[in-house]
C-alpha cells in the first residue's frame, strides 16, 4: 500500500496479463476526484499505457505530505518513471536526492514546478497543455519512451 493512502484516497492499479514484464509507472495527481480536466488526462494516460505498462494511479487529495510519501513509496517499490501533478511547486531536497540517486524519471504535469525543483532533477520533463487528451497522450508517450 502506498503511504498516505486512506479510504478517501483514490488509488487504482491497471495491468495486463504480462504485468511482471511491463514497466512499473507511478502517476500522482494533486486532486483527481471531482476534477474533470485531470479525469480526461487520466483516461488518456490509461489508454496510452494499456497493455504496455503497469500503472499505479494515486490521488494526493491536495495534501503535500501525502504526495511526498507517495513519491517516496513509488521509488521504494521500484518505479522508474513517476508522473506528478504537484500539490506544492517544490519538492524537498531529500526527496530530490533520492530521485536522482535512483535515476527515477519524473514527468511534471498540471502544476509547473519551481525552477529549483525542475533544475534539481537529473531526468525530468514538464508538460504544458490546455488539451487534456493531448496532455495524457504526450505523458503516456514520454513514459513509454523511457522504457
Amino acid at each position: 500500500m502506498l503511504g498516505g493512502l486512506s479510504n478517501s484516497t483514490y488509488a487504482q492499479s491497471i495491468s495486463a496479463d504480462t504485468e511482471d514484464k511491463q514497466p512499473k509507472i507511478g502517476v500522482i495527481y494533486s486532486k483527481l476526484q471531482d476534477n474533470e480536466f485531470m479525469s480526461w488526462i487520466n483516461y488518456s494516460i490509461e489508454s496510452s499505457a494499456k497493455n504496455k505498462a503497469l500503472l499505479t494511479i494515486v490521488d494526493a487529495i491536495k495534501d503535500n505530505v501525502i504526495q511526498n510519501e507517495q513519491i517516496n513509496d513509488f521509488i521504494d517499490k521500484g518505479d522508474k518513471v513517476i508522473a506528478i501533478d504537484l500539490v506544492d511547486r517544490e519538492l524537498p531536497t531529500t526527496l530530490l536526492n533520492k530521485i536522482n540517486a535512483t535515476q527515477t524519471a519524473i514527468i511534471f504535469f498540471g502544476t509547473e514546478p519551481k525552477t529549483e525543483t525542475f533544475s534539481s532533477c537529473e531526468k525530468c520533463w514538464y508538460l504544458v497543455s490546455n488539451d487534456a487528451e493531448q496532455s495524457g497522450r504526450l505523458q503516456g508517450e514520454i513514459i513509454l519512451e523511457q522504457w
Side-chain angles (χ1 to χ4, degrees), residues 84-86 89 106-114 118 123-129 138-139 142:
I84 307 169
D85 171 30
L86 291 169
R89 294 184 57 217
I106 302 294
I107 301 169
F108 296 106
F109 67 99
T111 302
E112 180 180 6
K114 284 190 174 181
F118 188 77
K123 294 172 68 175
C124 68
W125 296 263
Y126 173 60
L127 297 177
V128 181
S129 176
L138 288 171
Q139 290 168 42
I142 290 172

Side-chain angles (χ1 to χ4, degrees), residues 23-142:
K24 295 187 303 183
I25 299 166
V27 181
I28 305 172
Y29 291 93
S30 64
K31 177 88 170 104
L32 181 57
Q33 292 179 345
D34 304 321
N35 185 328
E36 189 173 332
F37 181 75
M38 286 302 172
S39 293
W40 274 105
I41 289 177
N42 189 57
Y43 172 79
S44 297
I45 290 173
E46 289 177 6
S47 297
S48 295
K50 187 174 185 177
N51 298 322
K52 297 175 188 168
L54 175 63
L55 295 180
T56 303
I57 300 169
V58 295
D59 187 347
I61 55 175
K62 286 289 200 190
D63 187 317
N64 195 48
V65 173
I66 290 174
Q67 186 170 67
N68 291 341
E69 289 174 359
Q70 291 167 333
I71 294 167
N72 194 50
D73 288 346
F74 277 135
I75 293 169
D76 288 347
K77 74 179 189 83
D79 290 21
K80 291 298 181 186
V81 179
I82 305 172
I84 307 169
D85 171 30
L86 291 169
V87 171
D88 186 332
R89 294 184 57 217
E90 63 184 319
L91 293 175
T93 302
T94 54
L95 200 50
L96 289 168
N97 290 341
K98 187 172 185 175
I99 288 167
N100 291 331
T102 58
Q103 292 292 301
T104 304
I106 302 294
I107 301 169
F108 296 106
F109 67 99
T111 302
E112 180 180 6
K114 284 190 174 181
T115 303
E116 299 81 19
T117 293
F118 188 77
S119 63
S120 296
C121 288
E122 294 173 8
K123 294 172 68 175
C124 68
W125 296 263
Y126 173 60
L127 297 177
V128 181
S129 176
N130 289 332
D131 181 337
E133 183 176 347
Q134 180 187 30
S135 292
R137 195 170 36 254
L138 288 171
Q139 290 168 42
E141 289 171 10
I142 290 172

